[in-house]
């Protein structure tokens, strides 16, 4: 079995590669990654010497390179993690999100059609559903919830989802889609909430929180997400969408306060900044379908997962300190420095 994993030098993609090589040592895993700012080659250091792993630097929009790789590797399965994902960046520069997330997806599926595959899997997000009101805790996103996007990022991911389903209906491409809630865990790029707060707290820097911090997210430990995708590509039904959620709803401000407590840092570091444009209030996923069909349930309680995550960042400072130096510092100042 040969699996091409796009975006494998990123957060979730890298963790998925680790999971697959450990669980299926006989599989060949080919990582395709452009190595943008969020793709960190050092994330893959532990698997670079594995004889069943190969890394190839390619932009998924580069049709010639993608087709050449498919011709050479003859993959059985393609799992597409490659995407621009940060909402703030999509508000600042939408075009790159449209190119990578929509046109890149089309390029991959065209290659799949041309060379024949057993499964193309699209890794999507719960953000395609928009948001839920804070005063309705009984409401959850299901696979039949209408798409109602709020940002250029979520719009680009929703567009890709629709394109994937269209390729299934029009060309018979064997596809599946997973829409996950907010992931957290090792190797997450430090522009995201949890690693940003950990890094800043460790350096006694202000902890920027949008608005009042009352926005609610459903948090999913990254290893649980990887196990869900593993199940879907092996046993999930073709042409189906599966929601993957952690049943761990928490407000942003409560998470920041928890991180302060775990690290022994004062809550006085918290700095409220001007809210993000079009900021969604609440995400909450109902994972009943994947549980009933494939037996998946999240295994990691948030209280345990956040402690494991904090410990990882404490013990791997070299990985994230290298990232937050240089270009990222300029971006960080632009995004948060003037939002008082």
């Amino acid at each position: 079995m040969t699996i091409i994993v796009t975006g494998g030098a990123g957060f979730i993609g890298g963790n998925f590669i680790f999971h697959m090589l450990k669980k299926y040592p006989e599989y060949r895993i080919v990582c395709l990654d452009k190595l943008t700012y969020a793709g960190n080659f050092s994330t893959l250091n532990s698997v670079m010497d594995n004889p069943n792993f190969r890394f190839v630097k390619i932009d998924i929009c580069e049709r010639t390179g993608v087709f050449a790789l498919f011709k050479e590797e003859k993959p059985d399965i393609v799992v597409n993690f490659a995407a621009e994902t940060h909402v703030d960046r999509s508000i600042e520069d939408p075009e790159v999100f449209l190119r990578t997330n929509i046109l890149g997806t089309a390029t991959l599926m065209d290659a799949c059609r041309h060379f024949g595959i057993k499964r193309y899997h699209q890794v999507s997000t719960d953000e395609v559903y928009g948001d839920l009101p804070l005063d309705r805790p009984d409401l959850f996103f299901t696979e039949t919830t209408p798409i109602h996007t709020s940002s250029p990022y979520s719009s680009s991911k929703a567009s890709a989802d629709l394109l994937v389903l269209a390729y299934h209906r029009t060309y018979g491409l064997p596809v599946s889609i997973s829409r996950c809630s907010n992931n957290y865990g090792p190797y997450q790029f430090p522009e995201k909430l949890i690693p940003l707060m950990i890094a800043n707290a460790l350096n006694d820097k202000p902890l920027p929180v949008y608005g009042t911090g009352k926005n609610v997210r459903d948090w999913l430990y990254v290893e649980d997400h990887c196990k869900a995708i593993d199940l879907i590509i092996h046993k999930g039904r073709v042409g189906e969408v599966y929601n993957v959620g952690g049943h761990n709803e928490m407000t942003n401000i409560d998470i920041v306060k928890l991180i302060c407590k775990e690290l022994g840092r004062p809550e006085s570091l918290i700095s409220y900044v001007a809210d993000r444009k079009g900021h969604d209030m609440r995400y909450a996923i109902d994972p009943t379908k994947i549980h009933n069909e494939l037996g998946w349930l999240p295994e990691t309680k948030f209280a345990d997962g956040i402690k494991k995550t904090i410990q990882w960042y404490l013990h791997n400072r070299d990985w994230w300190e290298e990232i937050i130096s240089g270009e990222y510092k300029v971006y960080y100042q632009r995004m948060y420095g003037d939002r008082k």
Side-chain angles (χ1 to χ4, degrees):
M1 178 80 76
T2 296
I3 301 179
I4 286 182
V5 178
T6 70
F11 165 45
I12 308 176
N15 278 281
F16 181 72
I17 288 173
F18 302 149
H19 167 79
M20 295 299 287
L21 286 173
K22 182 179 180 179
K23 184 175 179 181
Y24 306 100
E26 73 281 9
Y27 281 17
R28 176 169 172 78
I29 305 294
V30 180
C31 173
L32 184 162
D33 201 295
K34 184 182 177 182
L35 292 180
T36 61
Y37 75 95
N40 195 329
F41 192 66
S42 65
T43 296
L44 300 171
N45 282 345
S46 65
V47 297
M48 289 304 296
D49 293 332
N50 189 313
N52 283 337
F53 176 75
R54 178 190 179 190
F55 177 85
V56 182
K57 183 181 179 182
I58 301 178
D59 182 344
I60 60 171
C61 296
E62 294 178 6
R63 183 171 292 262
T64 300
V66 169
F67 272 60
L69 180 64
F70 274 63
K71 183 178 181 180
E72 179 182 358
E73 291 289 350
K74 299 178 177 59
D76 300 286
I77 297 173
V78 175
V79 183
N80 181 26
F81 292 93
E84 297 285 345
T85 64
H86 194 47
V87 174
D88 288 335
R89 289 180 184 264
S90 80
I91 294 171
E92 189 177 51
D93 183 12
E95 185 174 348
V96 66
F97 284 72
L98 306 182
R99 178 178 182 274
T100 299
N101 297 356
I102 303 174
L103 298 181
T105 296
T107 298
L108 290 172
M109 290 193 297
D110 284 342
C112 289
R113 288 177 54 218
H114 185 81
F115 293 100
I117 50 128
K118 295 178 181 177
R119 177 68 63 89
Y120 172 87
H121 183 75
Q122 179 76 3
V123 181
S124 189
T125 171
D126 59 358
E127 294 189 44
V128 302
Y129 298 123
D131 65 352
L132 298 166
L134 293 178
D135 60 355
R136 289 294 305 277
D138 57 311
L139 296 179
F140 296 88
F141 296 139
T142 70
E143 289 81 2
T144 59
T145 299
I147 287 176
H148 186 69
T149 59
S150 303
S151 69
Y153 161 61
S154 58
S155 296
S156 68
K157 292 296 289 184
S159 299
D161 286 4
L162 294 173
L163 196 61
V164 169
L165 295 174
Y167 267 61
H168 171 61
R169 178 164 180 170
T170 302
Y171 304 112
L173 190 70
V175 307
S176 52
I177 297 172
S178 57
R179 293 173 179 157
C180 68
S181 56
N182 285 42
N183 279 216
Y184 69 103
Y187 296 105
Q188 188 170 26
F189 191 78
E191 69 185 356
K192 302 293 186 176
L193 177 69
I194 289 177
L196 174 63
M197 297 302 145
I198 294 172
N200 279 18
L202 287 173
N203 290 319
D204 294 308
K205 292 182 177 180
L207 308 179
V209 175
Y210 281 135
T212 63
K214 297 297 185 182
N215 305 71
V216 173
R217 298 294 181 262
D218 175 16
W219 293 93
L220 176 66
Y221 193 61
V222 65
E223 289 182 8
D224 291 339
H225 184 195
C226 294
K227 292 175 181 178
I229 296 173
D230 176 5
L231 280 171
I232 294 169
I233 62 176
H234 286 99
K235 299 180 180 179
R237 288 185 290 145
V238 168
E240 292 295 317
V241 175
Y242 292 92
N243 281 353
V244 185
H247 275 316
N248 282 306
E249 289 186 55
M250 291 190 68
T251 65
N252 290 346
I253 189 60
D254 284 344
I255 286 179
V256 177
K257 289 180 178 179
L258 177 59
I259 290 171
C260 287
K261 182 180 179 180
E262 289 290 330
L263 293 175
R265 296 302 196 270
E267 292 183 8
S268 59
L269 287 174
I270 297 172
S271 173
Y272 294 95
V273 300
D275 208 353
R276 168 192 288 163
K277 295 178 180 177
H279 202 173
D280 289 335
M281 293 308 299
R282 173 177 172 254
Y283 302 148
I285 273 186
D286 178 357
T288 299
K289 179 177 177 178
I290 190 172
H291 172 61
N292 288 345
E293 291 192 13
L294 304 179
W296 180 89
L297 280 176
E299 300 172 15
T300 309
K301 295 180 179 178
F302 186 81
D304 299 326
I306 192 65
K307 288 181 180 179
K308 289 198 292 184
T309 300
I310 290 172
Q311 287 301 310
W312 187 89
Y313 281 91
L314 280 169
H315 295 139
N316 293 273
R317 292 186 71 129
D318 289 347
W319 182 86
W320 57 265
E321 283 180 342
E322 180 181 351
I323 293 173
I324 64 176
S325 63
E327 179 187 347
Y328 178 68
K329 290 179 69 175
V330 177
Y331 167 78
Y332 178 89
Q333 180 62 31
R334 186 168 72 248
M335 294 310 299
Y336 298 110
D338 300 322
R339 285 179 176 264
K340 303 292 185 182

